[in-house]
Amino acid sequence: MDAVSPGQEMYRWMADLFPICRSLTGDGVRETLHYLGDLLPGLRLHEVPSGTQCFDWTVPDEWNIRDAWVADMQGNRLIDFKASNLHVVGYSEPVDTVVTREELDARLYSLPEQPDAIPYVTSYYKRTWGFCIAHDKREALGPGPFRVVIDSTLAPGHMTCADLFLPGRSEKTVVLSTYVCHPSMANNELSGPVLQTAMARHLMQRDRELSYLLVFVPETIGTIWYLSRHLAEMQRNVVAGFVLSCTGDDRAWSYLPSRHGNTLSDRALLHVLGAYHPDFKRYTFLDRASDERQYNSPGVDLPIIPFARSLYRHYPEYHTSLDDLSVVSAAGLDNSFTTLARCLDIIENNRAWRTTCLCEPQLGKRGLYPTTSMKNGYCNKVNIIIDYLAYADGTLDLVQIADRIGVPADECIPVVRELVAAGVLALVE
């Protein structure tokens, strides 16, 4: 039997998780995190009570929904939560009433420019209710009246978050962060959690110099809560990190920088994209829209940036029912896994070395240089050795030298290891 690729495995997880109705709080988030917890031994769940203060924010009441619909007076469901959990405005309070067409229209959301898409709409911090519907179906609703039912609860409870810490030899830590608060959307919601889960399983099996902190939280409020409890430790130890979102499609890669654009995360991702995905799209920090807003906020200033294929807000299916399992693929997820693994490998090995010799070292006696000289020059490995040594003065790190010599940093890593083993390079502490 052929081995299953990481992408195929992630796609299967996404298919299992897709039907679950998630929000900032509630049983859908717990069900999602329990599923991921079965894949990640050691994943810790944290139940944060409603009303908990987190910097300038307060954890809202817990919302759960069982059913919802809009029906004509004969009982025919015209809008049905069970057909798509995007049909209900997130955090809608319970309602059971009869309304006119005009009253219903005031509570409906649709996209005339995407008439076949159900939009994703929420109202977390102001109590209301509403329905979302494809615009062509909205136009065909009829004159009414309509019976409207939302069978939900909105009351004090908990917000559920999770984290997993994988210690390395060093306390220096890389953060991977993703959110688990959107209902049935594939690329925007589920690609991040499944990629993070697959990478965590990979990291568990490998030798780790650095430590890794993996955070699964509701977007914005979950990250703010996490930072409010762990900021000092994270500022002390975190050297790099990524917010994983929109990582499952096959379109161009995206690069959105940190606030100042000069972190190790910026340099590693830019290097990998330039080497392997040169058609990537550049954005500015003004395009930020996910949890990099919190990690990069003044006073927090953690080196954590987005990791995305098609950036949120910049692909047509975003925040609609069109963002289904057809938008993502096993191949797209595989590509994201490989790209993230390259970034993490480079971050793991990104140090500064200096040559131990004045002038070029005698590489031939160390088996690192051909014993015969030919007109057509050296093999690629010898060129990497010679060029890397030319810049190894202790002031430049792996990524900086790889950028200067035009070689992918992950190809330089085994060469550096050989040079260190041969005593030609010494680590700068």
Side-chain angles (χ1 to χ4, degrees):
M1 179 181 291
D2 294 336
V4 175
S5 73
Q8 291 170 320
E9 198 166 42
M10 286 184 274
Y11 192 91
R12 178 173 58 80
W13 299 340
M14 291 180 76
D16 290 345
L17 293 167
F18 188 80
I20 299 173
C21 184
R22 286 165 290 272
S23 187
L24 282 191
T25 61
D27 292 333
V29 176
R30 294 188 189 96
E31 184 179 355
T32 299
L33 291 175
H34 282 300
Y35 181 100
L36 299 178
D38 288 341
L39 301 170
L40 295 176
L43 184 71
R44 303 182 304 173
L45 268 60
H46 308 278
E47 295 286 357
V48 185
S50 302
T52 298
Q53 195 69 28
C54 320
F55 297 142
D56 197 42
W57 292 64
T58 304
V59 174
D61 285 346
E62 181 175 329
W63 183 66
N64 285 291
I65 183 167
R66 288 168 290 275
D67 201 1
W69 68 87
V70 175
D72 61 23
M73 300 315 291
Q74 288 72 49
N76 300 306
R77 292 194 179 192
L78 308 175
I79 307 175
D80 191 351
F81 170 80
K82 290 185 177 178
S84 171
N85 54 37
L86 273 72
H87 271 311
V88 177
V89 171
Y91 259 63
S92 284
E93 57 189 355
V95 63
D96 187 345
T97 189
V98 174
V99 297
T100 66
R101 174 62 192 263
E102 183 179 17
E103 290 170 327
L104 179 61
D105 264 333
R107 301 279 186 167
L108 290 183
Y109 299 86
S110 64
L111 300 169
E113 66 277 14
Q114 289 181 287
D116 58 341
I118 304 168
Y120 170 52
V121 181
T122 63
S123 181
Y124 297 133
Y125 298 102
K126 181 179 180 181
R127 292 206 171 209
T128 187
W129 62 268
F131 285 85
C132 304
I133 185 172
H135 194 72
D136 54 2
K137 293 187 177 180
R138 178 178 186 168
E139 297 288 283
L141 277 176
F146 305 92
R147 181 166 177 218
V148 174
V149 173
I150 298 178
D151 182 11
S152 65
T153 57
L154 184 54
H158 294 83
M159 173 180 70
T160 310
C161 303
D163 63 1
L164 175 66
F165 185 71
L166 303 176
R169 287 183 292 275
S170 170
E171 291 184 350
K172 292 181 179 180
T173 300
V174 176
V175 172
L176 299 180
S177 180
T178 194
Y179 48 82
V180 287
C181 57
H182 292 55
S184 295
M185 290 178 286
N187 200 38
N188 178 231
E189 170 65 3
L190 289 171
S191 65
V194 299
L195 175 60
Q196 187 154 299
T197 299
M199 188 54 61
R201 286 159 64 94
H202 170 71
L203 292 168
M204 286 176 177
Q205 302 302 315
R206 63 168 286 176
D207 179 65
R208 299 185 298 271
E209 174 66 26
L210 301 178
S211 298
Y212 290 83
L213 173 64
L214 299 104
V215 180
F216 300 81
V217 288
E219 194 174 22
T220 304
I221 182 62
T223 304
I224 292 173
W225 170 78
Y226 202 87
L227 287 168
S228 74
R229 283 5 185 215
H230 303 283
L231 179 57
E233 180 184 7
M234 293 177 75
Q235 287 178 327
R236 188 167 57 249
N237 294 328
V238 173
V239 297
F242 299 101
V243 176
L244 309 187
S245 175
C246 304
T247 61
D249 64 344
D250 295 292
R251 298 162 181 158
W253 281 88
S254 300
Y255 167 67
L256 191 154
S258 63
R259 188 152 54 96
H260 298 298
N262 59 355
T263 69
L264 176 56
S265 308
D266 288 287
R267 296 196 294 119
L269 181 56
L270 264 179
H271 179 85
V272 171
L273 294 182
Y276 294 99
H277 309 289
D279 61 341
F280 72 93
K281 296 181 179 179
R282 286 178 178 263
Y283 296 89
T284 76
F285 186 65
L286 300 180
D287 294 303
R288 68 201 183 283
S290 187
D291 284 331
E292 68 277 359
R293 295 174 302 166
Q294 316 312 327
Y295 292 122
N296 284 263
S297 61
V300 175
D301 295 310
L302 291 171
I304 300 173
I305 67 171
F307 182 91
R309 302 289 296 266
S310 295
L311 193 65
Y312 32 70
R313 296 182 176 174
H314 292 273
Y315 65 99
E317 302 89 354
Y318 173 75
H319 270 201
T320 75
S321 58
L322 302 181
D323 191 352
D324 59 22
L325 291 168
S326 69
V327 175
V328 299
S329 69
L333 291 163
D334 265 327
N335 190 290
S336 292
F337 182 89
T338 300
T339 301
L340 181 58
R342 281 189 170 120
C343 289
L344 297 183
D345 198 31
I346 289 168
I347 290 168
E348 277 264 340
N349 290 278
N350 193 61
R351 299 175 183 82
W353 288 270
R354 59 172 178 80
T355 181
T356 59
C357 303
L358 296 177
C359 297
E360 291 184 355
Q362 225 291 12
L363 298 173
K365 66 182 182 182
R366 296 174 172 90
L368 298 173
Y369 195 87
T371 56
T372 57
S373 177
M374 297 180 63
K375 175 181 178 180
N376 293 330
Y378 315 118
C379 67
N380 186 55
K381 179 181 174 182
V382 172
N383 286 327
I384 295 174
I385 289 174
I386 292 172
D387 289 343
Y388 199 98
L389 287 172
Y391 285 98
D393 61 0
T395 68
L396 301 175
D397 62 25
L398 172 73
V399 175
Q400 290 169 319
I401 295 180
D403 281 337
R404 293 200 182 192
I405 68 176
V407 176
D410 51 315
E411 291 185 22
C412 294
I413 291 170
V415 171
V416 169
R417 288 175 180 160
E418 282 193 59
L419 294 174
V420 171
V424 174
L425 286 181
L427 183 64
V428 176
E429 300 292 346

